[in-house]
Amino acid sequence: MKLISSIVSLICFGVLSSQEPSTDKQIWSLQDCIDYALENNITVKDAKLDGALAEVDYEKIRAQRLPNLFGSASQNLSNGNSIDPITSDYVSSQIASTNLGMSTSVTLFQGNQLNNQVKQGKLVLDQNSLYIQEALNNVTLSVVESYLQALYNKEAILVQENILKNSEEEEKQAKARLDAGSIAMQDYTDAQSQTANNRYNLITAKNNYNLRIVELKQLLQLNPNQTIQLVDIDENIEVLIPVLDKMEVYERALQNLPEVDAGKLNITISEKDLDIAKGGYLPTLSLTGSLGSGYTSIDYTNFVDQLDVNFNQRIGLSLSLPIFNRKQTKAQVKNAEINIDKAKLQLKTIENEVYQKVENGWQNLNSAQEQLAAAEVAQTAAEESYRLAQKRYDLGALSTADLIVSQNLYTNTQENYLQAKYLSILYYQLMEFYQGNEIKL
């Protein structure tokens, strides 16, 4: 069976290396798989690292409001006619001078740009938290889909094993009848061919199951060599589900899915960009201060005394008025306004994608439900038909070819029922997830 992976935009995951984490645990429930994947999946870890980077950037932006502090020291040697850097006297001799100092500055006002940058940084930090939640959601849905695919393939193995067992018995009967001369060679070879074909189908079913297990282990970031066993779903789970209100699911999805909130925050972040850009029209006021001292070789006072005598302090205000900066600020404001419109369009796109997911999931759920009801009837009828065909075959009233037709029909109805069953479970859990409900199997 091919479960439709396009029901959600799922993130692709990297192939495991032999050094991936492993655990001694062998029996895994769906919840075990989800919990482990949320802790160890590479995509989730990467999203968390992006969140950590956003936090670092936020702290860096906040620190822009603090004053800076620099220390300086220089040693100079000059010869000939020059001005002493300490005394400012004009001298004509060799001078050795030392300068020591500290300086600081702080921006008092910059068109309110610093405050807006801090607010924007906090919004970006919150947005990254939503991106982390989106990654967690995607991994959860991927695990649910992979887990159900594996369980489907596991049940398909049981179906093929039962069919193969029946085929082998029928082949034995055909051989006995051939030896007794009651059937032609073609009837016996038909039975042989059917047994071989069913054995092939069983091998294929086992291979499909193993592939699903590999995919699941990749999602969990488990060592490829680790053996895991899946817990079957509750046999009493309700698979015939009441019809859900599509628009109600959609409205709840808009309220619960983090990508929608992230899209809304993106608009607010763009609006802060506009406020920051407009701050470029306003003046900038800065406070500066410095401490300094120095030593010169032309003064015969000792080094320590000169540092004491030459010690100086300065404080000042600096005002910068933007008059004309080649329309740079105007262009930044215009770009910010355009980005706001783009962010609004992106939000609309996200909402449309959410609706498409809900619509596809809802349609697929209803289709799977109808298929399930039809498949259940077909399976019951085909099972009875196959049972009667086996009795007629035992009595010699039915050819091997006709028995094979009945057997294949029964096998197909079993597979159709399993497919509809697991599709119903998958799409229903998807609808529940969109509404903010917990996934339970």
Side-chain angles (χ1 to χ4, degrees):
M1 162 184 150
K2 224 179 187 180
L3 289 175
I4 305 173
S5 59
S6 59
I7 58 174
V8 291
S9 298
L10 299 176
I11 302 176
C12 296
F13 302 94
V15 178
L16 291 170
S17 71
S18 60
Q19 299 179 347
E20 294 299 340
S22 63
T23 173
D24 294 333
K25 186 178 181 64
Q26 289 189 345
I27 300 177
W28 294 73
S29 67
L30 175 60
Q31 193 59 50
D32 291 334
C33 292
I34 292 174
D35 293 342
Y36 194 85
L38 295 186
E39 289 294 327
N40 296 279
N41 185 269
I42 289 178
T43 302
V44 173
K45 289 183 176 181
D46 186 62
K48 290 180 178 179
L49 289 176
D50 287 338
L53 289 174
E55 189 169 357
V56 172
D57 289 340
Y58 176 56
E59 292 301 322
K60 182 174 68 174
I61 292 171
R62 290 180 62 190
Q64 293 300 309
R65 294 189 292 192
L66 301 175
N68 59 26
L69 181 63
F70 296 95
S72 63
S74 65
Q75 179 69 39
N76 300 290
L77 180 66
S78 63
N79 191 38
N81 296 326
S82 62
I83 296 177
D84 190 309
I86 304 300
T87 65
S88 297
D89 293 336
Y90 185 79
V91 295
S92 179
S93 62
Q94 188 179 73
I95 304 173
S97 61
T98 302
N99 286 280
L100 302 173
M102 294 182 67
S103 63
T104 182
S105 66
V106 59
T107 301
L108 301 178
F109 180 77
Q110 193 180 14
N112 211 31
Q113 288 180 320
L114 289 179
N115 289 335
N116 285 322
Q117 286 172 352
V118 171
K119 292 176 182 178
Q120 186 187 58
K122 182 62 169 64
L123 292 171
V124 172
L125 186 62
D126 294 340
Q127 187 182 47
N128 272 271
S129 297
L130 293 171
Y131 289 150
I132 292 173
Q133 186 58 52
E134 182 182 4
L136 293 171
N137 287 351
N138 286 333
V139 169
T140 298
L141 293 176
S142 295
V143 170
V144 171
E145 183 181 19
S146 182
Y147 196 94
L148 289 175
Q149 283 180 328
L151 288 183
Y152 163 78
N153 290 116
K154 183 179 178 181
E155 284 201 46
I157 291 174
L158 297 178
V159 170
Q160 294 300 330
E161 285 177 341
N162 290 332
I163 291 298
L164 177 59
K165 182 179 179 181
N166 291 337
S167 293
E168 290 172 342
E169 290 297 325
E170 291 158 7
E171 183 182 350
K172 289 179 181 179
Q173 292 182 23
K175 182 66 169 76
R177 291 181 182 180
L178 178 66
D179 293 340
S182 59
I183 63 172
M185 175 61 72
Q186 183 178 352
D187 283 338
Y188 173 64
T189 55
D190 285 343
Q192 277 187 315
S193 175
Q194 182 65 9
T195 300
N197 186 65
N198 288 338
R199 187 173 290 110
Y200 176 89
N201 291 338
L202 175 59
I203 294 172
T204 301
K206 289 181 177 179
N207 184 60
N208 289 336
Y209 175 71
N210 290 332
L211 290 175
R212 300 293 84 76
I213 291 297
V214 170
E215 291 176 1
L216 184 59
K217 287 194 290 187
Q218 288 179 348
L219 289 174
L220 303 182
Q221 302 302 134
L222 290 175
N223 192 301
N225 296 324
Q226 181 169 345
T227 300
I228 66 173
Q229 299 177 17
L230 307 185
V231 177
D232 294 332
I233 61 175
D234 187 353
E235 293 182 356
N236 298 320
I237 189 172
E238 183 60 52
V239 291
L240 291 176
I241 302 156
V243 177
L244 302 174
D245 186 287
K246 176 176 58 179
M247 293 310 298
E248 182 178 345
V249 175
Y250 173 60
E251 292 298 330
R252 290 186 179 179
L254 291 180
Q255 297 173 7
N256 290 291
L257 293 181
E259 54 263 43
V260 178
D261 291 335
K264 293 176 181 178
L265 269 183
N266 199 40
I267 296 176
T268 308
I269 291 171
S270 298
E271 290 172 344
K272 283 300 171 188
D273 263 333
L274 178 59
D275 293 337
I276 293 169
K278 287 181 177 179
Y281 288 123
L282 302 176
T284 298
L285 179 64
S286 301
L287 175 67
T288 61
S290 66
L291 301 174
S293 186
Y295 165 83
T296 177
S297 61
I298 66 172
D299 189 333
Y300 296 105
T301 309
N302 65 52
F303 185 83
V304 174
D305 289 341
Q306 281 198 45
L307 290 183
D308 182 48
V309 171
N310 295 326
F311 180 66
N312 61 83
Q313 312 89 39
R314 294 183 179 87
I315 188 170
L317 287 173
S318 173
L319 181 65
S320 173
L321 297 172
I323 298 175
F324 180 72
N325 65 348
R326 303 186 184 121
K327 297 185 178 181
Q328 297 299 305
T329 301
K330 183 177 181 180
Q332 291 171 357
V333 170
K334 189 62 178 178
N335 285 339
E337 291 173 343
I338 294 173
N339 285 332
I340 290 174
D341 292 335
K342 287 173 65 68
K344 291 178 180 178
L345 290 177
Q346 289 172 358
L347 176 60
K348 185 62 178 177
T349 299
I350 292 172
E351 292 175 344
N352 289 341
E353 290 174 350
V354 171
Y355 178 80
Q356 184 176 6
K357 292 176 183 179
V358 171
E359 175 71 31
N360 290 343
W362 186 83
Q363 293 287 356
N364 288 329
L365 174 59
N366 290 332
S367 175
Q369 287 285 283
E370 293 175 359
Q371 291 173 343
L372 181 64
E376 187 174 18
V377 173
Q379 180 182 233
T380 302
E383 182 180 14
E384 179 63 16
S385 177
Y386 180 49
R387 186 183 66 81
L388 294 174
Q390 284 179 314
K391 286 187 175 181
R392 293 180 60 193
Y393 183 75
D394 292 341
L395 297 173
L398 189 70
S399 68
T400 302
D402 290 334
L403 178 64
I404 290 173
V405 171
S406 180
Q407 184 189 82
N408 288 339
L409 177 61
Y410 178 44
T411 303
N412 290 336
T413 58
Q414 286 181 296
E415 291 177 345
N416 290 339
Y417 177 80
L418 285 179
Q419 184 179 35
K421 171 185 172 182
Y422 280 97
L423 281 173
S424 292
I425 295 173
L426 174 62
Y427 289 121
Y428 178 69
Q429 294 300 327
L430 179 63
M431 294 295 100
E432 288 291 286
F433 190 82
Y434 284 156
Q435 296 178 85
N437 299 326
E438 185 180 356
I439 291 179
K440 293 180 179 179
L441 291 178

